[in-house]
Amino acid sequence: MLRIISRCGFSNCRYLLNPNVGKHLSSLPNSPLMSGESKSAAITASIEFCLQNYQSYENMLEEERAKYENGRKFLARLMGHDPATFNQEQVDEAIRYLFPSGLQSKNAHPKLKPPEEVYPEKKKLQFDRTGRPFHDLHYTGKPAYFEVMHKVSALFEELNHLFDRGYIDRDFTAFKNPRSIVVASSEWLTKEQLSRKLLEPVSDAMYENWLRVMNTLLNHPLAWHAENFINSYRVSVQETLSNEIYPEPQVDPETNYRFIDTFGQKKHAFAELRMTQPGTGKFIVNDKRLLEFFPHLGDREQIMFPLQYAGMLGMVDVVAKISSDTETGHSSKANALRLAIARALACFLPGDQGFNRLRAAGLLTQDDRFSERKKPGQKKARKKPIWKAR
């Protein structure tokens, strides 16, 4: 008996010593002792379960779609409109009219949306009834993500081919009618947005790699040939920032003027201001006139740019106070004051177009950079003493 066990090897000893274990393992789907018929039956059962799960999801969407249509038609008749032409914008307006809410968070307001926008999209089956995957990159675990990366690689090869053909074969057809892709008012999808678009979880490393290759594609000399592909992974800044909430200006009971208190920060400079409308263009900083506190012309231009960009010069009064815990430069103080002014203007300007327009110009983005500290044994943060051999 010992000879038989030694010849069979250590991996098969447990089956010889305990034959019941082998019978038990032969019933598992992934067991090496499992027969072909039982394995195919297990695969078919799992696929049938996935099919039933997806079918139940589709049935739920159909039921929710029917409920949404009934609610939309009811709102249309209630508001005196034709149900056939009652669109989603009119639905939102009717809900705001019928159910006014004083809550600041827009997510807490009552809504009536199509089920496709409410429920997360579910990925369709990636394999047939025999268990064979449809996608070539199915076994990578992230087929949609790697498909995008392969598309970027293919676009690189195509653009490089056009570029080489222009300079080697003197065929400048691809260089005719050049144009630049407008990216000032848009930005790349965030990691969460990319995950929802691909219907796959995306890790931080994967997102950084995707962002790197997309930026490289965007900086290609012939990138406008892939403009549609690039724009499909960019989102407008106005769409991403339309949910930002800015407080409404308050009203002074004595003068009946509107005012707003905001702040701005750059490095160690902290600016607080009160903007009043209507005004005459008065500008006071730390009980001094703007010209006295900021003698440099560049600082004054930086401070007044948000007012000029919004067309509010001479229409508001500004009283500001700038403080700093250390000796901060005049440029940081001007930058902090400019951010506070832009935030105040975002509250005064009507509608979403006001602060979205300011944000697209970069006026509502705080500069979080700080000076790098001095290192021990070095003259400055990066400067090192000169090394001499002798």
Side-chain angles (χ1 to χ4, degrees):
M1 183 65 182
L2 292 176
R3 292 180 182 177
I4 297 175
I5 293 176
S6 61
R7 290 178 182 177
C8 293
F10 179 76
S11 60
N12 294 329
C13 288
R14 55 184 180 274
Y15 302 135
L16 294 175
L17 295 176
N18 191 356
N20 295 327
V21 176
K23 295 179 181 179
H24 173 69
L25 292 176
S26 62
S27 61
L28 297 178
N30 297 327
S31 174
L33 302 179
M34 188 175 183
S35 61
E37 296 180 357
S38 57
K39 183 181 292 187
S40 61
I43 293 176
T44 305
S46 61
I47 294 175
E48 289 295 336
F49 175 76
C50 293
L51 288 172
Q52 294 176 3
N53 190 10
Y54 186 77
Q55 188 63 36
S56 62
Y57 175 78
E58 292 290 334
N59 296 336
M60 183 269 295
L61 283 183
E62 291 181 1
E63 294 177 0
E64 295 296 331
R65 165 61 69 175
K67 294 179 182 178
Y68 167 76
E69 290 296 332
N70 292 335
R72 185 183 64 83
K73 293 177 182 178
F74 176 77
L75 276 178
R77 290 191 293 267
L78 191 64
M79 300 299 294
H81 293 279
D82 184 12
T85 59
F86 200 64
N87 54 21
Q88 184 61 37
E89 294 181 0
Q90 294 174 327
V91 169
D92 297 337
E93 184 179 356
I95 291 179
R96 284 194 297 267
Y97 175 76
L98 295 173
F99 305 100
S101 176
L103 299 175
Q104 291 186 354
S105 177
K106 293 184 178 180
N107 295 329
H109 295 180
K111 296 179 182 179
L112 180 62
K113 298 288 185 181
E116 291 80 5
E117 298 181 10
V118 177
Y119 296 98
E121 189 176 359
K122 196 171 184 178
K123 184 181 291 188
K124 296 182 179 180
L125 290 178
Q126 303 295 316
F127 43 83
D128 56 11
R129 291 183 176 273
T130 61
R132 295 182 178 180
F134 295 136
H135 206 287
D136 298 338
L137 303 173
H138 174 77
Y139 292 106
T140 60
K142 301 288 189 296
Y145 172 80
F146 287 106
E147 183 180 5
V148 173
M149 302 296 279
H150 277 280
K151 286 182 180 179
V152 175
S153 178
L155 286 173
F156 265 118
E157 293 182 1
E158 182 180 353
L159 295 180
N160 290 334
H161 176 69
L162 294 176
F163 190 84
D164 295 340
R165 190 171 62 182
Y167 282 92
I168 297 176
D169 301 337
R170 298 298 178 181
D171 184 5
F172 296 100
T173 306
F175 291 83
K176 293 182 179 180
N177 302 323
R179 62 182 184 276
S180 59
I181 302 177
V182 180
V183 296
S185 60
S186 63
E187 60 184 6
W188 293 114
L189 296 176
T190 62
K191 188 179 74 171
E192 291 75 14
Q193 292 172 341
L194 183 63
S195 299
R196 289 196 297 267
K197 184 179 180 64
L198 301 180
L199 300 178
E200 293 176 355
V202 178
S203 63
D204 294 338
M206 294 169 61
Y207 179 73
E208 291 178 1
N209 292 334
W210 173 82
L211 204 60
R212 188 182 304 112
V213 297
M214 294 299 288
N215 283 323
T216 308
L217 179 63
L218 181 62
N219 296 328
H220 197 279
L222 301 178
W224 73 83
H225 290 285
E227 183 176 5
N228 294 333
F229 177 79
I230 293 174
N231 289 334
S232 64
Y233 291 93
R234 296 186 68 87
V235 62
S236 175
V237 176
Q238 296 183 358
E239 295 179 3
T240 58
L241 300 175
S242 59
N243 294 329
E244 290 192 10
I245 300 173
Y246 285 84
E248 292 290 335
Q250 303 178 15
V251 179
D252 190 352
E254 297 180 359
T255 61
N256 204 22
Y257 288 172
R258 297 195 306 163
F259 70 92
I260 190 69
D261 296 330
T262 58
F263 67 93
Q265 185 177 2
K266 172 65 186 295
K267 292 185 178 179
H268 296 282
F270 190 81
E272 298 177 283
L273 69 82
R274 169 169 290 190
M275 182 177 290
T276 308
Q277 188 188 31
T280 59
K282 182 178 69 173
F283 212 114
I284 303 298
V285 181
N286 287 6
D287 299 330
K288 296 181 181 180
R289 295 172 55 239
L290 182 65
L291 182 61
E292 297 176 359
F293 194 85
F294 291 101
H296 296 278
L297 178 61
D299 295 338
R300 295 198 301 271
E301 289 180 349
Q302 183 180 185
I303 293 170
M304 302 303 292
F305 177 72
L307 296 170
Q308 181 182 4
Y309 185 76
M312 301 285 284
L313 276 175
M315 301 173 61
V316 294
D317 292 339
V318 177
V319 178
K321 179 182 178 181
I322 300 178
S323 59
S324 59
D325 53 357
T326 59
E327 294 183 1
T328 309
H330 57 87
S331 179
S332 297
K333 295 178 181 178
N335 196 300
L337 184 56
R338 187 190 72 171
L339 178 61
I341 293 173
R343 287 174 174 173
L345 290 175
C347 301
F348 277 113
L349 293 176
D352 294 344
Q353 296 180 353
F355 54 80
N356 281 332
R357 186 166 175 265
L358 291 172
R359 186 60 179 266
L363 296 175
L364 295 177
T365 303
Q366 181 174 343
D367 190 357
D368 295 329
R369 295 176 299 175
F370 273 82
S371 299
E372 190 175 351
R373 73 175 188 88
K374 179 186 177 299
K375 308 300 188 304
Q378 298 179 187
K379 295 184 177 181
K380 294 183 179 180
R382 298 293 179 92
K383 187 176 181 180
K384 297 176 176 58
I386 300 175
W387 181 81
K388 295 181 180 180
R390 293 175 181 83

